[in-house]
Amino acid sequence: MIENSEIDQLHRAYWCVVSGSEIWLQGGELPIGNAQEFYFPSEKAVCVGHYQGLPVMWLNEQDVEHRLPLTSLRECLVFAEPLFLLVSKAVQYGHMFQTLRFCPLCGGRNHLNHNQLAMQCSKCHTLHYPRIFPCIIVAVRKRGQILLAQHPRHRNGMYTVIAGFVEVGETLEQCVAREVKEETGIEVTNIRYFASQPWAFPSSMMMGFLADYQSGDVKPDYSELSDARWFSPCEMPSVAPEGTIARALIDKTVADIMQHST
């Protein structure tokens, strides 16, 4: 259970000072210390969980009097998964605080309800919890090959698997089939769940799937992709980094291909 109580000035903790999808790190690590030594306002910090016996505290960068060097949450992908998930939680709460300043029902000013970890309207008292956007991400296999795509935003020629947002009124499996068809022109079958990962960029829940090729030729949607094609394990390009569910899907598919080729 999450404890939402404030922390005193001398209590040692992990500190997640966030702004958008950026976070303060020291030497690539999440800082450990007390509020007094960091000159942090402990009354504005909120505990989002515990890791290795210490509380993990969320604090918005705007509440810190001195400027801190911030870096992308992606730098935290190397953290142990339990810690990365807590850091992601802090980032998503920070996003909630920034984007839900006013009540969407009556227009009243919202404030943070520390007990519920939600924004609450000062007029109608409605609670507004963090918004989570469901997304699918899927690795498609065609016998000894995996389907990989490149997006214009990807640097250094990185390829990854197909992903997209779930639409109103569709199942996750329907979303998988639709996104693959829309972005690459192929049909898939044998869609099966793999794993999930909170993706705080800024507030998505990635639900991973595996699927098999059914029919069609790869025809990339160039309004979404720079390229899409089949790769065999012996000719893999630069792919998504470790720690991402995209990489886990790629590694699983490549391992399955290698296992069935021996």
Side-chain angles (χ1 to χ4, degrees):
M1 181 177 179
I2 297 175
E3 296 180 9
N4 300 327
S5 58
E6 297 169 358
I7 190 171
D8 63 59
Q9 284 282 324
L10 300 178
H11 200 142
R12 283 174 55 79
Y14 287 93
W15 289 92
C16 297
V17 182
V18 304
S19 177
S21 293
E22 293 189 319
I23 188 166
W24 174 52
L25 300 178
Q26 282 188 326
E29 303 288 340
L30 199 63
I32 301 176
N34 59 53
Q36 185 179 63
E37 65 184 279
F38 291 135
Y39 301 99
F40 288 161
S42 59
E43 70 280 0
K44 294 187 176 182
V46 178
C47 179
V48 296
H50 288 79
Y51 181 71
Q52 295 186 339
L54 291 177
V56 179
M57 306 303 296
W58 155 46
L59 184 63
N60 289 320
E61 190 264 346
Q62 69 183 54
D63 292 325
V64 178
E65 292 186 358
H66 51 289
R67 293 184 61 84
L68 294 171
L70 301 180
T71 189
S72 171
L73 176 63
R74 293 178 186 273
E75 298 298 318
C76 301
L77 285 169
V78 296
F79 292 179
E81 184 179 46
L83 182 59
F84 176 75
L85 294 180
L86 288 170
V87 173
S88 296
K89 185 180 293 186
V91 168
Q92 292 191 62
Y93 280 132
H95 184 255
M96 172 194 70
F97 188 85
Q98 290 178 331
T99 59
L100 287 174
R101 296 179 184 274
F102 296 94
C103 177
L105 296 180
C106 73
R109 183 78 183 193
N110 286 333
H111 65 273
L112 178 65
N113 183 312
H114 283 240
N115 291 326
Q116 294 294 321
L117 274 186
M119 301 300 285
Q120 186 166 26
C121 180
S122 58
K123 288 185 178 180
C124 68
H125 307 296
T126 301
L127 287 167
H128 303 284
Y129 293 91
R131 296 169 178 167
I132 302 174
F133 301 96
C135 308
I136 63 86
I137 183 166
V138 55
V140 181
R141 176 183 170 188
K142 181 182 180 182
R143 295 186 293 276
Q145 296 179 305
I146 181 174
L147 179 67
L148 296 176
Q150 188 180 65
H151 294 263
R153 66 180 180 276
H154 289 160
R155 301 175 181 177
N156 303 321
M158 189 191 83
Y159 280 74
T160 188
V161 288
I162 301 298
F165 288 98
V166 180
E167 292 186 353
V168 172
E170 69 179 354
T171 66
L172 297 176
E173 292 80 5
Q174 288 173 335
C175 182
V176 168
R178 175 182 56 79
E179 285 290 345
V180 174
K181 177 69 173 178
E182 288 179 354
E183 295 196 8
T184 68
I186 69 169
E187 304 277 355
V188 294
T189 187
N190 192 24
I191 299 168
R192 55 215 186 267
Y193 177 75
F194 174 72
S196 63
Q197 182 181 42
W199 196 240
F201 297 94
S203 53
S204 299
M205 168 57 77
M206 304 295 292
M207 289 163 282
F209 289 84
L210 300 168
D212 296 331
Y213 168 81
Q214 179 172 308
S215 62
D217 298 322
V218 176
K219 298 177 181 178
D221 176 2
Y222 289 110
S223 67
E224 295 283 343
L225 306 176
S226 300
D227 187 28
R229 47 191 158 122
W230 299 103
F231 290 89
S232 64
C234 64
E235 58 177 6
M236 293 290 287
S238 172
V239 295
E242 292 187 6
T244 62
I245 191 169
R247 179 60 175 269
L249 284 163
I250 293 169
D251 288 348
K252 169 62 176 172
T253 303
V254 168
D256 287 347
I257 291 171
M258 297 297 290
Q259 180 180 2
H260 288 89
S261 65
T262 57

